[in-house]
Amino acid sequence: MSTKYLISGIMANIELYCGNHPEPVRMSLIQGPFSAFYACPKYNDEERKPGEHKCANRLSVTNLERMVDHINSMLCDNGSLNNSVNIKGHVWRDNGVDYKILVHNRDKICVQCLDHSALTNIKR
């Protein structure tokens, strides 16, 4: 998806949330053995309760860039540069990842992510 414009600072306004739980959980950037990626806090042993299963939901930097491009294109194509469009509730799937816009306002865009391939390959 190509865009004519890049909304200045768009990535600074995006928050990622894990969609593998009843309530969205904010994801964070972690350094893996080969590259950085966004992961659910339940990915780390120290963030889980005893007996709680690991959450392998993650978002690669490549998928993050594709997601930002999609959001940027949607906002530019729909004239949201002048705040006339709200994309809350928008859902899409790309590269095996389901996305949903949970919040869209002047200050932030909260995006729920669920990577089905990462969850399928989990080792408990």
Side-chain angles (χ1 to χ4, degrees):
M1 193 179 292
S2 67
T3 58
K4 287 184 181 178
Y5 309 100
L6 177 62
I7 298 172
S8 178
I10 188 170
M11 189 53 220
N13 296 330
I14 293 177
E15 296 177 2
L16 299 176
Y17 289 83
C18 179
N20 194 33
H21 306 282
E23 295 294 320
V25 177
R26 183 133 184 220
M27 299 172 85
S28 57
L29 185 65
I30 64 171
Q31 181 61 48
F34 305 106
S35 64
F37 59 92
Y38 281 86
C40 177
K42 303 293 183 179
Y43 178 86
N44 298 312
D45 293 338
E46 61 273 5
E47 296 291 330
R48 294 191 309 268
K49 296 175 185 167
E52 188 175 18
H53 292 293
K54 178 178 187 170
C55 179
N57 191 29
R58 56 185 286 149
L59 190 68
S60 69
V61 172
T62 300
N63 282 338
L64 174 72
E65 290 171 349
R66 292 170 62 100
M67 179 204 68
V68 170
D69 189 46
H70 179 85
I71 292 170
N72 188 72
S73 295
M74 212 171 17
L75 293 175
C76 289
D77 293 347
N78 290 311
S80 194
L81 291 175
N82 61 10
N83 296 321
S84 63
V85 173
N86 189 306
I87 59 173
K88 179 182 176 183
H90 176 71
V91 295
W92 77 99
R93 183 175 227 185
D94 181 46
N95 206 26
V97 181
D98 289 337
Y99 299 96
K100 180 178 181 181
I101 306 294
L102 301 174
V103 173
H104 176 213
N105 59 40
R106 284 183 67 108
D107 301 320
K108 65 184 173 182
I109 300 172
C110 298
V111 183
Q112 178 176 288
C113 311
L114 187 63
D115 183 342
H116 294 279
S117 62
L119 295 173
T120 313
N121 296 325
I122 187 170
K123 292 183 175 111
R124 296 188 195 266

